[in-house]
Amino acid sequence: MPRWPKEREARGCGIEGCEGKHVGKGYCKKHLYRLNTNGDPLAVRHRIHTGTVEERFWKKVVTGPDDCLLWSGAKIPDASRDDEDRYGMWTWDTPDGTQRQLAHRFAYESKFGKIPEGAQLHHTCARRGCVNPAHLQLATALENTAESLQRKHLTAKRDALVARYAELALMAQHLNIPLQECPVEPNKDEPEAPGTLF
């Protein structure tokens, strides 16, 4: 059983030309929100942007160690990583709608142009939060994983990286792509060191 008479259920928004359903104070949800936010059901609050998309992007960057330019804006949540070891996320508005991209990829493309399909960016400084284009280089997934295996500070994730490298290497062999040797340091728990993966 409805809580109010049927004529109230069928009542529309009090704004001429609006086809929204009445929710309160004579307005639909959208116009009621505008009334409560701006004091006027027809007032639309726009974001105030100063400068180009690139200028606004670089305002969210701070200087870090080793010439790194660290992203201070929104980051991809990851409780297992420090703040500077998390990827940044950049969001901006275009006439086609809101766009979103990893901050380091946006920085690279703003300096060097479009990233080729399937390519990854490798941080030569080993800081995921760095957006310095000079610290970013194009790499395949195989090259990126192989380089990560060689970093001393990634030993905790070594097993997952070795499995990923093996998977990528098998795909490369299947496609007849030549492989470079990737030395893998032994784990403390492993009795023997494999030397190379293949």
Side-chain angles (χ1 to χ4, degrees):
M1 181 174 182
R3 298 184 314 197
W4 47 74
K6 286 191 177 184
E7 61 271 6
R8 185 170 175 194
E9 278 188 348
R11 197 162 117 197
C13 181
I15 300 295
E16 188 176 334
C18 180
E19 297 177 7
K21 290 185 179 180
H22 173 267
V23 293
K25 297 185 183 178
Y27 301 112
C28 66
K29 187 175 181 179
K30 173 178 76 175
H31 289 109
L32 180 62
Y33 173 80
R34 290 178 181 175
L35 175 70
N36 292 336
T37 304
N38 306 322
D40 180 355
L42 297 175
V44 180
R45 219 168 87 188
H46 293 286
R47 295 180 188 167
I48 299 172
H49 294 309
T50 55
T52 65
V53 173
E54 285 81 13
E55 287 169 345
R56 287 186 283 114
F57 175 87
W58 292 107
K59 285 181 183 175
K60 294 186 176 285
V61 173
V62 296
T63 305
D66 304 322
D67 295 325
C68 284
L69 299 175
L70 302 177
W71 180 250
S72 66
K75 303 234 174 120
I76 294 179
D78 187 348
S80 67
R81 297 186 183 278
D82 294 334
D83 194 49
E84 74 177 28
D85 198 30
R86 288 169 31 215
Y87 290 117
M89 182 60 73
W90 173 233
T91 305
W92 71 100
D93 293 327
T94 69
D96 298 329
T98 302
Q99 302 292 317
R100 233 174 235 105
Q101 190 176 24
L102 289 171
H104 67 285
R105 290 180 73 89
F106 182 90
Y108 183 91
E109 287 187 350
S110 69
K111 173 107 177 169
F112 300 114
K114 193 88 174 129
I115 297 169
E117 184 77 28
Q120 294 184 355
L121 288 180
H122 167 66
H123 285 84
T124 59
C125 60
R127 287 187 181 91
R128 292 180 177 199
C130 179
V131 296
N132 185 347
H135 292 187
L136 301 169
Q137 66 183 23
L138 290 173
T140 64
L142 186 64
E143 291 167 341
N144 214 1
T145 305
E147 199 284 331
S148 296
L149 279 169
Q150 294 173 343
R151 291 187 188 159
K152 306 258 188 230
H153 65 280
L154 289 179
T155 53
K157 301 201 183 241
R158 182 184 176 281
D159 292 339
L161 287 169
V162 168
R164 176 72 177 142
Y165 182 85
E167 178 186 326
L168 291 168
L170 285 174
M171 290 188 330
Q173 284 177 345
H174 179 70
L175 297 170
N176 295 324
I177 298 171
L179 290 173
Q180 63 180 29
E181 286 190 359
C182 173
V184 178
E185 293 185 11
N187 232 352
K188 291 178 185 172
D189 301 334
E190 292 178 358
E192 315 178 347
T196 61
L197 286 173
F198 298 98

